[in-house]
Amino acid sequence: MASSGAAANIAVLLGLGIAGIFLAARRLRRPARPDHGAFIARLELLPPPQPPPPQARHPLTDLCFAIADALHVSGYITSFGSPEWERTHDAASQTSPVVSALVNGGAICVGKTVIDEMAYSIHGDNKHFDTPTNPAAPDRVPGGCSSGSAVAVAAGIVDFALGIDSIGGVRIPGAYCGVLAFRPSHAIVSNSGVIPVAPSLDTVGWFARDPSVLRRVGHLLLRLPYADVRQPRHFYIVDDCFELSKIPARKLTQVVTKSVEKLFGTNLLLVNTFFLPGQVTRMNLENYLASKVPSLKNYSNGQENADSKRSSLLALCNAMRLLHKCEFKDQHMEWINSVKAAVDARIVSNLSNDADSVIDSCQDTRNEVRLALNALLKDDGILVIPTALGCPPKLNARELSSESYNSQTLCLSSIASMSGCCQVSIPLGTHDKCPISVSFIARHGGDRFLLDTTQTMYATIQEQAEILAKSNVSSKQAMNEEAAETAKEKGNAAFKEKQWQKAVNFYTEAIKLNGKVATYYSNRAAAFLELASYRQAEADCSSAIDLDPKIVKAYLRRGTAREMLGYYKEAVEDFNHALVLEPMNKTAAVAINRLKKLFP
């Protein structure tokens, strides 16, 4: 009897174990849902009839879209990611003007999408409505707060979708789901008819797979009249932001630099007295912000000594988080206190500390950061940063609750959130089978310029990303190329400090590692010129020209070297060649006039 009872107990335990295994497997597989769990409610808002000919059709004709469930639609209760909010609020009496503008522009609204509870998180998880399934990486989070909208676009259910972005709520899910995501300049698109999160940071943004759709939606919402497309003149690759990325920086930045080269030319060299400014500049945003935004020292939390390399970005992130928290509390704490048990405990605990007295100081920081970035970018500059730290975290991963991980992610999104600048996240293919992306930021009010630049560059960026993905470059060669770029940057820094011989040594190291880059020879020639080593400079310029016959700066430098060596005829030929390549090059024109006067 005892043995039979024991056998029965073992059978029960085995059965429970097997059942547990099956349950776990079911959770891991995340069974497919028809709409990937993106929608909270399906609806249909139809556009007005088309105007009679010869008037043009509505600009968004034949497009359909979805909206995050923080935007009001007349007759529907806006859930704000919370069943309790839905239970305690009435149906909207008016539709958000942004939604109405899109419908009146010819698009069909087909539903409301899942957001993080009260739009507070950046991960895309929601315990009430379940986490939408990321179509690009089903075992990973979709990103939030506008998770459902990003998923609906990535899955091809809609052509575009609206989301809300305070601290990354559109940009992060766009990056995680592998679609285009646009955060407009703050206060450029109306927030009327949208539940506020943190008004100083809130924007209505949008997602699309096609850059032309992204641009068409933007032109309608921004009410932009026709104007000629303005080309970007300066790309600032922010090295310290790419140092935060878990993806090899070269994999992201090379796609951008190659795309710029192909579309706009090869002016990618160090700026000095011998040639004109280039189109791509590598910069340290930490140092720039530290010098231009004095109020950031109020938010360092003592971290400048612990991590001085990133103290400015961390301070900016801290200021953004404080502002986000204070304004969120101001908007919603009364309601939260009335239903506290029904709100995610993580939200409640996060709001339990920090005084509201810092809000004025945060506003000062916002103004300073906007002025600093507008001064840097002007009307034709683009700041290039990674959108997120890397691949989206796995579902229930430790990173989701890691303060360090969240803080570093928000360091990247704080740049546009706190400055109010516009930002677009552009997919760059995959890494470890997960979507990766890069972001372009333009000055506040530069939305048209950023949308146009995105459309101009998108196809080339995708082409270069594919070329890089398919390249059969050996790992050793790739490492050498990356090391060569590092050596070149050290040479550039030494040159700026007027340490000429040190610069020569670094450029020589870069050439040994990768001797097929004209820039390395041309930059070393600049250093040789400063050392009065004119024959070495001439030889380096000739090597650069052999590699790239259109490298204007090498002709200018070789002309300078030959002039100093007394080869005046050859010098004039070099300066003339530079003028052929760049007819407006003042350095070449001045040199030719000087030589003609000396040797008519």
Side-chain angles (χ1 to χ4, degrees):
M1 290 287 292
S3 60
S4 63
N9 288 336
I10 291 169
V12 169
L13 289 172
L14 283 172
L16 288 172
I18 291 168
I21 291 169
F22 280 130
L23 286 171
R26 286 181 66 186
R27 289 194 201 103
L28 288 172
R29 286 196 194 104
R30 290 182 60 79
R33 293 173 281 180
D35 61 4
H36 295 261
F39 287 86
I40 281 178
R42 290 285 195 159
L43 51 88
E44 192 172 63
L45 302 180
L46 298 176
Q50 295 291 343
Q55 297 181 60
R57 284 157 59 85
H58 297 312
L60 302 182
T61 298
D62 298 328
L63 298 180
C64 67
F65 72 104
I67 61 172
D69 199 25
L71 290 90
H72 293 317
V73 172
S74 180
Y76 289 83
I77 300 175
T78 307
S79 79
F80 202 29
S82 164
E84 190 65 18
W85 182 282
E86 186 175 24
R87 188 184 68 80
T88 55
H89 287 77
D90 296 327
S93 58
Q94 290 185 316
T95 297
S96 164
V98 172
V99 177
S100 296
L102 295 170
V103 173
N104 290 333
I108 301 173
C109 182
V110 298
K112 306 188 82 175
T113 57
V114 175
I115 61 171
D116 292 35
E117 185 173 355
M118 300 187 76
Y120 198 76
S121 171
I122 59 171
H123 301 307
D125 52 350
N126 187 311
K127 68 179 183 180
H128 306 294
F129 298 105
D130 201 5
T131 301
T133 303
N134 185 340
D139 62 336
R140 295 176 182 261
V141 297
C145 64
S146 306
S147 53
S149 288
V151 166
V153 171
I157 301 170
V158 293
D159 298 298
F160 68 94
L162 298 182
I164 52 172
D165 189 313
S166 304
I167 58 173
V170 166
R171 293 161 288 167
I172 292 171
Y176 285 0
C177 293
V179 296
L180 288 157
F182 191 83
R183 174 194 163 97
S185 298
H186 185 259
I188 294 291
V189 175
S190 172
N191 283 334
S192 176
V194 184
I195 299 176
V197 178
S200 295
L201 305 172
D202 290 351
T203 58
V204 175
W206 55 96
F207 306 90
R209 296 183 304 280
D210 185 332
S212 66
V213 172
L214 191 84
R215 182 171 177 265
R216 286 164 64 189
V217 172
H219 277 233
L220 187 144
L221 292 181
L222 300 166
R223 302 176 184 176
L224 297 176
Y226 174 80
D228 291 335
V229 174
R230 186 173 67 252
Q231 286 193 348
R233 293 193 60 214
H234 302 282
F235 288 83
Y236 299 93
I237 293 178
V238 185
D239 284 331
D240 43 325
C241 285
F242 282 99
E243 287 175 10
L244 290 171
S245 176
K246 312 299 182 186
I247 308 297
R250 176 178 168 274
K251 186 164 187 174
L252 301 173
T253 60
Q254 184 173 324
V255 171
V256 176
T257 55
K258 292 289 186 185
S259 299
V260 171
E261 284 181 33
K262 182 170 182 179
L263 289 168
F264 307 116
T266 56
N267 291 336
L268 309 177
L269 307 181
L270 173 68
V271 178
N272 64 38
T273 56
F274 285 101
F275 50 82
L276 298 173
Q279 287 180 314
V280 171
T281 303
R282 306 189 82 97
M283 71 171 293
N284 184 293
L285 189 61
E286 283 283 336
N287 295 340
Y288 183 78
L289 291 177
S291 65
K292 300 292 184 181
V293 188
S295 64
L296 284 176
K297 64 180 182 294
N298 299 326
Y299 306 99
S300 61
N301 292 348
Q303 290 166 321
E304 55 263 87
N305 296 325
D307 191 359
S308 59
K309 283 179 66 179
R310 300 195 177 93
S311 59
S312 298
L313 278 177
L314 282 171
L316 186 64
C317 171
N318 291 339
M320 179 187 74
R321 296 176 82 175
L322 281 171
L323 183 59
H324 178 245
K325 185 182 300 185
C326 289
E327 292 196 342
F328 183 87
K329 287 171 69 175
D330 184 57
Q331 295 289 329
H332 303 301
M333 202 65 205
E334 183 178 346
W335 179 82
I336 289 173
N337 285 333
S338 70
V339 296
K340 187 171 288 185
V343 177
D344 191 324
R346 292 173 295 180
I347 297 176
V348 176
S349 63
N350 192 255
L351 299 174
S352 61
N353 49 32
D354 293 314
D356 296 348
S357 59
V358 299
I359 196 163
D360 290 339
S361 178
C362 290
Q363 297 292 2
D364 291 341
T365 300
R366 283 182 68 229
N367 295 332
E368 289 176 9
V369 174
R370 179 177 298 183
L371 289 172
L373 288 186
N374 282 357
L376 173 69
L377 300 174
K378 300 182 174 65
D379 289 335
D380 52 14
I382 298 283
L383 203 67
V384 183
I385 66 169
T387 309
L389 289 185
C391 295
K394 291 187 175 181
L395 294 162
N396 304 314
R398 290 181 180 178
E399 296 106 304
L400 300 177
S401 57
S402 164
E403 171 59 25
S404 173
Y405 184 88
N406 289 323
S407 181
Q408 288 185 24
T409 300
L410 293 173
C411 277
L412 298 174
S413 62
S414 67
I415 298 167
S417 287
M418 285 297 282
S419 67
C421 291
C422 48
Q423 177 175 342
V424 63
S425 178
I426 303 173
L428 291 186
T430 61
H431 178 78
D432 290 340
K433 299 181 180 180
C434 293
I436 56 174
S437 66
V438 72
S439 270
F440 289 174
I441 298 175
R443 69 165 180 84
H444 182 270
D447 303 71
R448 176 207 291 278
F449 166 64
L450 188 57
L451 287 165
D452 289 348
T453 299
T454 302
Q455 173 142 351
T456 298
M457 295 189 65
Y458 184 79
T460 303
I461 286 174
Q462 301 311 308
E463 173 189 290
Q464 293 300 322
E466 189 173 348
I467 289 171
L468 184 63
K470 291 181 177 179
S471 65
N472 294 319
V473 180
S474 68
S475 58
K476 182 178 179 180
Q477 184 178 344
M479 288 173 62
N480 284 347
E481 289 176 358
E482 191 163 352
E485 278 293 299
T486 301
K488 182 202 76 173
E489 293 302 323
K490 290 179 179 178
N492 291 355
F495 191 98
K496 288 179 181 177
E497 297 295 325
K498 298 184 178 181
Q499 298 175 345
W500 316 122
Q501 188 57 54
K502 191 174 181 181
V504 166
N505 294 341
F506 280 125
Y507 293 137
T508 300
E509 182 184 344
I511 289 167
K512 287 180 179 177
L513 289 164
N514 184 10
K516 296 181 179 180
V517 179
T519 305
Y520 302 162
Y521 291 98
S522 183
N523 284 6
R524 188 170 70 173
F528 276 137
L529 285 174
E530 298 288 354
L531 291 168
S533 300
Y534 302 122
R535 292 196 183 280
Q536 290 95 325
E538 181 190 26
D540 269 353
C541 289
S542 296
S543 297
I545 290 165
D546 287 341
L547 289 166
D548 182 0
K550 294 183 179 180
I551 185 165
V552 174
K553 298 170 183 66
Y555 287 105
L556 295 176
R557 290 169 178 162
R558 190 169 70 175
T560 302
R562 287 175 168 175
E563 180 182 353
M564 300 305 293
L565 290 167
Y567 305 149
Y568 304 118
K569 179 182 176 183
E570 291 82 357
V572 170
E573 289 176 356
D574 278 335
F575 291 131
N576 273 324
H577 206 120
L579 269 181
V580 170
L581 293 171
E582 272 187 16
M584 303 302 292
N585 193 302
K586 293 181 180 180
T587 303
V590 169
I592 291 169
N593 290 334
R594 181 180 66 249
L595 287 169
K596 284 183 177 179
K597 288 178 182 178
L598 292 172
F599 309 100

